[in-house]
Amino acid sequence: MASTHAIKTDVVVVGAGPGGSAAAYYLAKAGVEVYLLEKATFPRDKICGDGLTPAAVNELALMGIDTSNWQRNLGLEVVGGGHEIRLPWPAQRSLPDFGMACPRMELDETLARAAAKAGANLVEGVLVKELKTDATGRVNGVVGFKGRGEDEERYDISAKLVVDAGGVAARLAISAGRQAAARRPMAVAARTYFRSPLGDTDWMISHLELWDGKPGESNLLPGYGWIFPLGDGLVNVGLGSVSSNKAATKLPYKQIFGAWCANLPEEWGFTEENQTAPLRSAALPMCFNRKPQYADGLALIGDAAGMVSPFNGEGIAPAMQAGRFLAEAFVLACARDTQSGFDLAMSAYPQALRNQLGGYYSLGRIFVKLIERPQIMRACTKYGLPRPALMKLVHKLLSDGYERSGGDLSDKLIQTLTKVVPSA
Ligand SMILES: Cc1cc2nc3c(=O)[nH]c(=O)nc-3n(C[C@H](O)[C@H](O)[C@H](O)COP(=O)(O)OP(=O)(O)OC[C@H]3O[C@@H](n4cnc5c(N)ncnc54)[C@H](O)[C@@H]3O)c2cc1C
C-alpha cells in the first residue's frame, strides 16, 4: 500500500547539491526545522569540473568541513596566445591562498551529511514534483514521491519557505512561472576523468585556446579546456564554451575533445585505456539568469537561479554563499509578525546576493561578450598573459578572488569597476 507522510515544517529545501545542503546546514544550525529532499541517493555524481577556488574553500571552512584529504592546488597554469604562465592564488585577508579539487561524488555527499549532522532532516530518493500553493497563489509546500508502485511513499510537506535548489532544471521555479532571462550568458561544458601522472600535481591547468594540431600552426577549435588534479593519480579533464545569451553554443564536444586530447603531451596519458568515465556535458546558467530569487514563499538557490560565474564557470561557491545568505534572511524574517513583514525581511536575501555578486556579474556579462569572439580572446591572451601586473588583476577578477573592501590597488580597481556598472 502506498503511504503518505504529511509533514509541517519551517523550511523545505529541494535538492541536496552544494546550494541546498549549505542552506539546510545554516538553517539547522540556527535551530530552524528544515527538510532537505534529494531525488538521488548518495553517493551520486554530478557533471562538474570538481574545481574549488579559494572562495569555495572558504565556504567549506565556514561549514567546518574536514578537507584534510582533498587535493590542494597553488593556482592556475594558463596556456594560450603562445604563452604558458603560472598564477598563484593570491594571499588575501578574506581568502586562503590555495584552491582544491574534490570529485562531486564525494563533495556533495559530505555537504549533505554535514547538513544532516547539523540537524536537517535529509531524505534521499524523493523526487519533488509539485509546489503547493494557498488560495492567494503563495507557495506553502511541496509534494514529492519516493519509490514506486505499492512501495511508493508520498511526501506532502507544508512549510513557511520552499527553496528550489534543484540545479539547472529549476523544475519548481519554472512551475512558479520564473523563466530564465534570455539575455544572460549560458555556457555548456563537458568533462571526463583520466588516470594520469598530472593527478597529484599542484596546479590547475587552463587552456584558453584549443588546437587540433601544433598551436599556432593548425586549426583553432572553439572553447577552452581544463585539467584539474584530484589526487590519487586522477584528473578531471573538460572543455566548455560560453555564449552571451540563453542560446548556448552547440559544439560537437566529443569531436573537439578528441582533437584537443590527441594533441596534448603523450606522457599525460589521456587515452581511452586511462579514461575512467564517459565524457558528459551539461549547461551552466550564469549571471542570476532566473529571478526573483525570493518572492511569495519560494526562494531559488544556485543553478536554479543561474548563479554560475560568467568569468570562470564556478557555481559551487556562489551556491554555497547563497545558502548562507538565505538562512540568515529566513531567521530574521521569522521574527516578524506579519506575512508582509516576513516578505520584506526575506528581501535581504536577494539584496545580499546583489551586494556580493551583482556588480561583479554585470562586469562578467561584458567579459563574456568580448571572449565569445575568438579573435578578441586570442588578442587578449597573446598581449595580456605576458604582463604580470595585469595578470594579477585579471586572476583576482576571474576567480572572484578580490577583497570586497580595502586590499591592494588591483582589489580597489575591481571594487570600483563593480560599482560603476549597474548590478546584475
Ligand atoms: C561540465 C561542468 C563543469 C563545471 N565545473 C565546475 C567547477 O569546476 N567548479 C565549480 O564551482 N562549478 C563548476 N560547475 C558548475 C557547478 O557544477 C554548479 O554550478 C553547481 O553544481 C550548482 O550547485 P546547486 O546546488 O545549485 O545544484 P546541483 O549541484 O545541480 O544540485 C541539485 C540537486 O538537486 C537534486 N534535484 C533536482 N531536482 C530535484 C527534484 N525535483 N526533487 C528532488 N531533488 C532534485 C539533484 O539530484 C541534485 O542533487 C560545472 C558545471 C558543469 C556542467
Side-chain angles (χ1 to χ4, degrees), residues 15 17-19 38-39 44 46 48-49 51 104 126 128 165-166 302-303 313 315-316:
E38 168 55 52
K39 68 178 178 187
R44 69 104 181 84
K46 153 82 178 81
C48 187
R104 293 293 296 270
V126 179
V128 173
D303 279 12
I316 296 169

Side-chain angles (χ1 to χ4, degrees), residues 199-411:
D200 299 282
T201 52
D202 294 329
W203 295 85
M204 297 171 111
I205 300 174
S206 180
H207 280 213
L208 301 182
E209 297 167 348
L210 308 180
W211 298 89
D212 70 355
K214 213 163 175 235
E217 293 172 19
S218 57
N219 296 314
L220 190 57
L221 302 163
Y224 49 86
W226 72 79
I227 301 158
F228 292 166
L230 290 162
D232 293 330
L234 200 66
V235 284
N236 181 314
V237 184
L239 59 82
S241 70
V242 61
S243 117
S244 58
N245 59 52
K246 199 174 143 188
T249 48
K250 289 191 179 71
L251 296 181
Y253 290 99
K254 275 209 167 119
Q255 213 180 309
I256 297 173
F257 189 83
W260 175 48
C261 282
N263 220 354
L264 295 172
E266 218 172 290
E267 60 274 20
W268 289 1
F270 295 169
T271 59
E272 251 177 57
E273 307 82 74
N274 289 331
Q275 193 172 349
T276 63
L279 182 74
R280 292 178 63 204
S281 66
L284 295 88
M286 298 176 153
C287 284
F288 297 151
N289 80 340
R290 200 184 298 279
K291 286 184 176 174
Q293 292 137 345
Y294 172 77
D296 301 327
L298 176 66
L300 317 182
I301 268 195
D303 279 12
M307 291 186 182
V308 174
S309 166
F311 285 108
N312 62 359
E314 167 180 40
I316 296 169
M320 293 179 74
Q321 284 169 357
R324 185 157 57 81
F325 298 151
L326 178 84
E328 193 175 317
F330 179 80
V331 169
L332 295 174
C334 283
R336 306 289 176 103
D337 295 329
T338 59
Q339 197 170 79
S340 58
F342 176 89
D343 285 346
L344 188 59
M346 279 304 298
S347 67
Y349 167 58
Q351 186 59 49
L353 290 169
R354 270 195 298 279
N355 293 347
Q356 179 71 14
L357 295 168
Y360 178 62
Y361 279 3
S362 291
L363 281 183
R365 289 175 69 186
I366 301 169
F367 171 77
V368 169
K369 279 225 157 81
L370 291 174
I371 64 148
E372 72 182 340
R373 294 193 224 161
Q375 317 86 301
I376 298 189
M377 176 74 161
R378 276 214 74 197
C380 290
T381 47
K382 193 167 170 192
Y383 300 109
L385 284 184
R387 291 180 168 67
L390 175 67
M391 286 319 292
K392 184 178 168 195
L393 179 137
V394 171
H395 187 36
K396 283 186 182 178
L397 181 66
L398 299 196
S399 63
D400 191 3
Y402 70 100
E403 297 286 9
R404 276 359 190 221
S405 64
D408 66 14
L409 198 63
S410 58
D411 296 298

Side-chain angles (χ1 to χ4, degrees), residues 105-148:
M105 195 81 105
E106 181 178 349
L107 174 79
D108 289 31
E109 176 162 24
T110 304
L111 297 181
R113 301 269 174 251
K117 198 167 164 215
N121 300 288
L122 169 67
V123 193
E124 298 172 54
V126 179
L127 173 66
V128 173
K129 291 192 175 171
E130 295 165 31
L131 286 174
K132 300 204 304 170
T133 50
D134 67 14
T136 68
R138 186 183 176 86
V139 173
N140 63 3
V142 297
V143 179
F145 298 87
K146 181 174 181 168
R148 278 161 186 256

Side-chain angles (χ1 to χ4, degrees), residues 6-11 33 35 156-159:
I7 297 164
K8 204 164 180 283
T9 189
D10 293 327
V11 182
E33 190 183 65
Y35 274 76
D156 184 326
I157 305 190
S158 302

